[in-house]
Amino acid sequence: MDKSGKTGNSVKKGISFLLARSRCGIQFLATLLTNIHLPNFFKGKIYQGSGKTVCVPGLNCYSCPGAAGSCPIGALQAVIGSSKFRFSYYITGFLILLGVLLGRFICGFLCPFGWFQDLLHKIPGKKFSTKKLRPLRYLKYAVLLILVLILPAVITNSAGMGNPFFCKYLCPQGVLEGAIPLALADSGIRSALGNLFAWKSVVLITVIVLSILFYRPFCKWICPLGAFYSLFNRVSLFQMQVDESKCISCGKCRKACKMDVDVTQSPNHPECIRCGACIHACPTQAVCYHYGFNTNKTKQEYEIKGDVKK
Amino acid sequence: MKESEKTNMQLKQSLIRLILLAAGVIMVLFGVLRGEAGIVLAKAIRLCLECVGIG
């Protein structure tokens, strides 16, 4: 490999390390920007500007007083469940764009509910592995298909409008970001909360307890947004890169991955949220982030170009 | 794997990405043109009763 190539690689690895190290700060900033209308928390009302025409990248309820944009999953159901349309080109196109540009980097760095689960998992106590629960990963695709795409389009009232089934029965963000802050500030909303709120509170408490015990249970098993983005992880411009000429197969990256991914075998696995735990764990700096159209260089490629000894 | 096969694979993946990006842009524009953005805004600026658990 020539000198400029080596310098470029070390710069890329330095940036990768810095990005992974700054993850918590970036998550905080992303959550703040997603919910920038902070005074609304005290007023007990939601932002009603035209900024809500556009969706935010992560799972963030649009009934949160501070929400600056729309929730992509809520918006998708709103269009599908409207009397005029049964499919949303606008939101699907938006999610395809984000999926290709960033993939599940959004889950790892930009999603407020992902950050919430990360913080809960930092609470000291016994932690459990989810490796034996891998089949539950497929549940989120069923949630996306049935609760988000099919039921709002199929089960409609006399006006031809469908319910947002995921938001109504399963999403814990509505209670966490919407119902709780609004009910605290507005007695009218507080008095209107009933059985549905009680059910959704049970869902939220369950997710909170599970998040303390397991790493990101909602992202792994339930989140329809994560399910959508995961479909694009392999073709996303934001990828994990493993320099096989440097990898010593120590397995430290696999052990460090809380999403149960082996980055050396499948760097762009649908479950990889680009958290960078493998970058930290690698003793030889063989793992780094890569952004762009050109795909990963493997050991074989380096050998072809004569960059490493066979 | 031969270098030509690798190059072909890279080209194929880049092409898939470009097609998906183009499809995304076209879908967004088409959605806006047929009035979906208005529905999103109308839903988002009102309190979502289902989301907060009122009904």
Side-chain angles (χ1 to χ4, degrees):
Chain A
M1 196 186 296
D2 60 18
K3 203 175 175 181
S4 63
K6 274 185 181 172
T7 312
N9 271 348
S10 59
V11 167
K12 198 156 80 174
K13 279 167 189 168
I15 292 169
S16 300
F17 199 78
L18 195 68
L19 190 59
R21 204 183 164 90
S22 322
R23 192 165 78 96
C24 199
I26 295 170
Q27 286 175 300
F28 167 73
L29 262 178
T31 303
L32 184 66
L33 290 174
T34 306
N35 297 287
I36 198 69
H37 301 284
L38 297 178
N40 285 348
F41 280 99
F42 303 101
K43 294 174 191 166
K45 63 176 191 179
I46 61 171
Y47 164 67
Q48 295 183 310
S50 56
K52 281 192 167 173
T53 309
V54 181
C55 292
V56 294
L59 195 76
N60 194 81
C61 187
Y62 40 34
S63 284
C64 172
S70 288
C71 168
I73 293 297
L76 189 56
Q77 290 170 98
V79 178
I80 292 172
S82 70
S83 55
K84 285 169 83 177
F85 306 114
R86 287 290 166 262
F87 181 78
S88 176
Y89 290 96
Y90 177 51
I91 305 298
T92 309
F94 177 78
L95 292 177
I96 290 173
L97 279 177
L98 284 183
V100 177
L101 292 173
L102 294 170
R104 287 198 81 180
F105 170 83
I106 293 164
C107 305
F109 282 79
L110 306 179
C111 179
F113 201 64
W115 186 47
F116 178 63
Q117 290 171 87
D118 278 356
L119 293 177
L120 288 169
H121 197 68
K122 286 182 197 288
I123 294 172
K126 192 161 172 57
K127 306 294 172 192
F128 297 92
S129 165
T130 51
K131 278 179 185 161
K132 287 182 180 169
L133 301 169
R134 274 181 185 151
L136 289 176
R137 288 169 173 179
Y138 300 105
L139 199 60
K140 62 179 175 288
Y141 298 102
V143 170
L144 172 65
L145 198 66
I146 297 168
L147 294 186
V148 177
L149 298 174
I150 296 176
L151 290 185
V154 172
I155 302 178
T156 54
N157 61 17
S158 54
M161 295 173 79
N163 266 318
F165 280 84
F166 173 74
C167 295
K168 190 170 181 177
Y169 299 109
L170 207 53
C171 183
Q173 269 292 60
V175 171
L176 180 70
E177 289 191 316
I180 293 173
L182 287 171
L184 285 174
D186 188 323
S187 59
I189 291 174
R190 201 159 52 236
S191 61
L193 300 173
N195 289 338
L196 189 60
F197 172 75
W199 160 249
K200 292 192 71 180
S201 300
V202 170
V203 173
L204 175 64
I205 291 165
T206 307
V207 171
I208 288 173
V209 172
L210 288 176
S211 299
I212 297 169
L213 302 173
F214 301 102
Y215 185 69
R216 290 198 179 216
F218 186 81
C219 302
K220 283 176 182 169
W221 305 327
I222 306 292
C223 185
L225 192 56
F228 198 97
Y229 290 143
S230 77
L231 301 173
F232 296 90
N233 241 16
R234 287 190 202 280
V235 292
S236 169
L237 295 173
F238 195 104
Q239 303 226 318
M240 300 304 294
Q241 188 171 26
V242 181
D243 185 343
E244 290 177 34
S245 65
K246 281 192 170 179
C247 178
I248 54 170
S249 304
C250 64
K252 284 185 179 173
C253 52
R254 193 182 64 243
K255 283 177 197 156
C257 182
K258 291 178 185 168
M259 294 302 285
D260 309 325
V261 172
D262 184 350
V263 72
T264 60
Q265 295 298 314
S266 182
N268 299 299
H269 192 280
E271 292 300 311
C272 176
I273 57 167
R274 317 308 195 199
C275 70
C278 50
I279 295 172
H280 277 294
C282 183
T284 60
Q285 293 182 310
V287 190
C288 66
Y289 294 127
H290 172 81
Y291 194 86
F293 274 92
N294 56 329
T295 46
N296 293 353
K297 254 187 171 185
T298 61
K299 191 178 182 180
Q300 287 82 358
E301 282 180 271
Y302 284 113
E303 283 169 353
I304 288 164
K305 290 177 183 172
D307 289 339
V308 292
K309 287 177 186 174
K310 283 181 186 175
Chain B
M1 194 184 283
K2 286 178 187 172
E3 194 172 10
S4 59
E5 287 175 24
K6 279 274 170 194
T7 313
N8 278 342
M9 255 178 63
Q10 286 195 355
L11 279 173
K12 199 175 160 186
Q13 192 159 24
S14 294
L15 192 67
I16 291 169
R17 286 166 173 164
L18 281 173
I19 290 169
L20 283 170
L21 285 172
V25 172
I26 291 166
M27 284 171 84
V28 168
L29 293 175
F30 181 65
V32 170
L33 284 174
R34 70 177 197 153
E36 289 179 32
I39 293 174
V40 171
L41 180 65
K43 176 75 180 174
I45 60 171
R46 293 187 187 94
L47 178 67
C48 171
L49 300 179
E50 298 91 348
C51 302
V52 299
I54 292 175

